[in-house]
Amino acid sequence: MTTETFAHLTLAFGLLGNAVSFMVFLAPLPTFYKVYKKKSTEGFQSVPYVVALFSAMLWIYYALLKANAMLLITINSVGCVIQTGYICFFLFYAPKKARIECLKLIVLMIVVGFGLIVGLTQFCAQGANRVMIVGWICLVFALCVFVAPLGVVRQVIKTKSVEYMPILLSVALTLNAVTWFFYGLLLHDFNIAIPNVLGFTFGVVQIILYFVYKNKKPVCDEKKPELEIKNIATEEQKIQENKDQEIIDVVKLSALMRSIPVVSKPNENNNITVEDHLVLEPQVPNHTIEVAA
């Protein structure tokens, strides 16, 4: 295979990687549409978007130090713009506590973390050593990012539900890993190729799990009838307690009524009779007025 053929293949895989990565960057759009409709971020977290921004900035810095990596710069520049938009959108609709946490994470990763990497590599390393150090940092961070979906895999196995693992996103991430692996391989850049081997592996695992569990009944659904029975029993107990309380209140009211003195009313034969109901006699003072003759 000639050098020209290698160059054409590298360009082809680089362009394909740019296209697939761009589609992956757009994957969170439905999530932010829900946020826009509800005017609240609810339980969504800002961590994935801040991490993605940090990763894009790190790869741009690496590509600037390394020659012949223009396609890395193009896609990660687009990624920086998109992730920044997501973060700004999140900050606009997030509650105060989530907004503060997001800002802390931005300062920690983008300002402090990325700033230290750039500062230390610029002043403490030179030439090829600088490229190698930044490349290893990119490699380790990319491996950490690819390991992150293990939490989702564990959740799928535990709940037997693929609700939180969309198949289209899994396929896109797998295809993305394949294209960037071959791009790095053709460039003889193992800092790009090696992390995508792990990304491809986890992508295939997710796709297999999807087809294994897509028709399975989730574990939570099996427990639903028991929860419903418990809820019904609890409601019936509350209703019975309310009825008992009503009976107690009636008894108390009856006892209270019996404790109220009943005013008797004399009849025509001066016999005292007790009426079935209360008779309130107005108390009129008896004043005798004497008129002088």
Side-chain angles (χ1 to χ4, degrees):
M1 191 178 290
T2 63
T3 306
E4 186 178 352
T5 306
F6 265 110
H8 288 316
L9 284 175
T10 304
L11 179 63
F13 278 108
L15 292 173
L16 183 59
N18 272 248
V20 177
S21 295
F22 180 72
M23 298 303 294
V24 172
F25 283 143
L26 296 181
L29 280 178
T31 298
F32 283 95
Y33 181 72
K34 291 179 183 178
V35 171
Y36 171 74
K37 294 290 286 185
K38 294 182 179 181
K39 308 299 182 186
S40 172
T41 56
E42 295 183 330
F44 296 114
Q45 301 292 325
S46 62
V47 177
Y49 315 110
V50 178
V51 170
L53 177 61
F54 177 78
S55 177
M57 294 172 66
L58 204 56
W59 282 111
I60 289 174
Y61 180 52
Y62 175 71
L64 289 173
L65 295 176
K66 180 180 174 63
N68 300 324
M70 182 56 63
L71 291 175
L72 272 180
I73 297 176
T74 54
I75 187 57
N76 284 290
S77 298
V78 173
C80 282
V81 174
I82 294 175
Q83 300 302 330
T84 302
Y86 289 153
I87 293 170
C88 292
F89 200 86
F90 182 90
L91 290 172
F92 185 78
Y93 286 107
K96 184 178 179 180
K97 184 177 180 181
R99 191 181 298 121
I100 292 174
E101 292 296 327
C102 180
L103 291 173
K104 286 181 180 178
L105 188 62
I106 291 171
V107 171
L108 180 64
M109 293 194 71
I110 307 301
V111 179
V112 178
F114 185 73
L116 282 175
I117 291 172
V118 173
L120 291 175
T121 53
Q122 286 293 324
F123 292 103
C124 300
Q126 294 179 354
N129 289 331
R130 182 184 300 159
V131 177
M132 183 182 68
I133 292 171
V134 176
W136 275 101
I137 294 172
C138 291
L139 173 63
V140 172
F141 186 76
L143 288 174
C144 294
V145 170
F146 281 123
V147 169
L150 282 177
V152 178
V153 171
R154 179 177 175 274
Q155 185 180 11
V156 170
I157 296 174
K158 184 178 180 181
T159 62
K160 302 184 186 304
S161 172
V162 294
E163 180 182 359
Y164 299 104
M165 193 177 68
I167 183 62
L168 292 178
L169 183 58
S170 298
V171 171
L173 290 173
T174 305
L175 183 60
N176 187 55
V178 170
T179 54
W180 286 112
F181 166 75
F182 282 107
Y183 178 76
L185 190 65
L186 291 169
L187 275 180
H188 303 288
D189 191 334
F190 295 103
N191 293 322
I192 300 174
I194 291 176
N196 286 289
V197 174
L198 194 61
F200 169 76
T201 305
F202 285 135
V204 171
V205 169
Q206 289 181 32
I207 293 171
I208 293 172
L209 285 176
Y210 179 86
F211 286 104
V212 169
Y213 291 110
K214 70 173 183 176
N215 295 323
K216 295 278 186 179
K217 189 175 182 181
V219 175
C220 57
D221 291 343
E222 295 175 358
K223 295 181 179 179
K224 248 184 178 180
E226 298 178 5
L227 294 174
E228 290 177 357
I229 292 172
K230 288 182 181 179
N231 290 335
I232 292 172
T234 305
E235 290 297 327
E236 290 179 351
Q237 184 178 359
K238 287 182 179 180
I239 293 172
Q240 186 61 38
E241 289 177 356
N242 290 336
K243 287 183 178 179
D244 293 342
Q245 186 62 38
E246 289 177 1
I247 294 172
I248 293 171
D249 292 341
V250 170
V251 172
K252 287 182 179 180
L253 182 62
S254 177
L256 181 63
M257 292 299 294
R258 286 198 299 270
S259 66
I260 299 176
V262 179
V263 179
S264 300
K265 184 178 180 181
N267 57 12
E268 293 177 355
N269 298 325
N270 293 327
N271 294 326
I272 298 175
T273 60
V274 179
E275 299 291 333
D276 292 335
H277 57 276
L278 296 178
V279 180
L280 299 177
E281 294 286 347
Q283 300 295 325
V284 181
N286 188 14
H287 295 290
T288 303
I289 302 174
E290 296 180 359
V291 180

